[in-house]
Amino acid sequence: MATAIRGRNRTLYQLIPETPDDYWEVEALYDTCFAPGREALSSYRLRDGVPSVAGLSHVARDADGILAGAIRYWPVHIGAHDALLLGPVAVHPTRQGEGLGRALIEESLDAATPFGWHRVMLVGDAPYYNRFGFDRLQDVIMPPPTNPERVLGRTLSKDSWRGVKGHVRRWSD
C-alpha cells in the first residue's frame, strides 16, 4: 500500500514497500548517505544472509519515480524473544530537511504491529530517535563493537520490552 506525503499543493513523495527491483538502487542510496565501510558495522552481521522484513521495508519516490529515501527492517532474536532491527534509514542529501526521514520511520512503525511485531530496536543517536519513542535498552547486548549507549528500543505494544534481555542474535541462528 502506498502512502502519499503531501506538500502545500501537491504530492511530494509516495512511500511504498520495497521490492526486489529496488535493491540495488537502495544500496546506492545507502552508499551515498553513509561512510565507506558501513557494512563492517556489527549490525550488518545480524543482517547477513537474512532477508529484510517484507512489507515494512519502504522506499520513498518523488512524482518522477526518483528514489528519495529508504528504510529497512530485519528480524532478530534477543534471548527467547523476537524483535525488529530498524535500519538503515536514509534520505538522499538533496532531499533532507523535508520531513521524509520522519515519515519513513513513523509510517513503517505504524505498519509493524499489524504484522505481529511487538518491539523494535536500533543502533543510533538517542537525541534523534527519542522523538520517535526510542529509549536506551539497558539489558540488550549488541555484538561488539557497539556502544551500549546507542542501543535503543521502542515498544509497539504495551510493556513489550519487559523481561527482554540478552544478546541480539541473527534471525537464522
Side-chain angles (χ1 to χ4, degrees), residues 3-14:
T3 300
I5 300 174
R6 300 190 185 286
R8 288 185 194 206
N9 298 318
R10 63 187 173 98
T11 299
L12 298 177
Y13 301 103
Q14 292 288 326

Side-chain angles (χ1 to χ4, degrees), residues 24-159:
W24 290 111
E25 195 174 5
V26 171
E27 286 296 310
L29 174 67
Y30 289 153
D31 287 343
T32 298
C33 294
F34 299 111
R38 68 181 167 88
E39 293 182 354
L41 298 172
S42 61
S43 58
Y44 275 85
R45 300 299 66 79
L46 298 168
R47 300 173 183 139
D48 284 342
V50 177
S52 61
V53 177
L56 293 182
S57 298
H58 282 75
V59 295
R61 294 190 177 277
D62 68 13
D64 295 320
I66 297 170
L67 182 69
I71 189 168
R72 286 183 175 155
Y73 288 87
W74 309 87
V76 294
H77 298 295
I78 305 163
H81 302 277
D82 299 335
L84 287 171
L85 175 64
L86 185 160
V89 58
V91 174
H92 193 278
T94 61
R95 309 296 178 94
Q96 292 178 2
E98 298 176 6
L100 187 52
R102 172 180 290 279
L104 282 163
I105 293 168
E106 289 177 349
E107 290 289 328
S108 60
L109 287 173
D110 286 347
T113 303
F115 278 94
W117 294 98
H118 302 287
R119 63 193 65 81
V120 62
M121 64 171 297
L122 58 82
V123 177
D125 296 322
Y128 179 78
Y129 288 103
N130 289 154
R131 71 182 91 178
F132 302 107
F134 286 87
D135 293 305
R136 175 138 188 274
L137 295 173
Q138 298 291 331
D139 298 319
V140 173
I141 304 160
M142 283 287 290
T146 303
N147 177 348
E149 298 293 321
R150 295 174 52 82
V151 179
L152 310 174
R154 175 182 153 167
T155 62
L156 298 176
S157 59
K158 186 171 174 44
D159 297 326

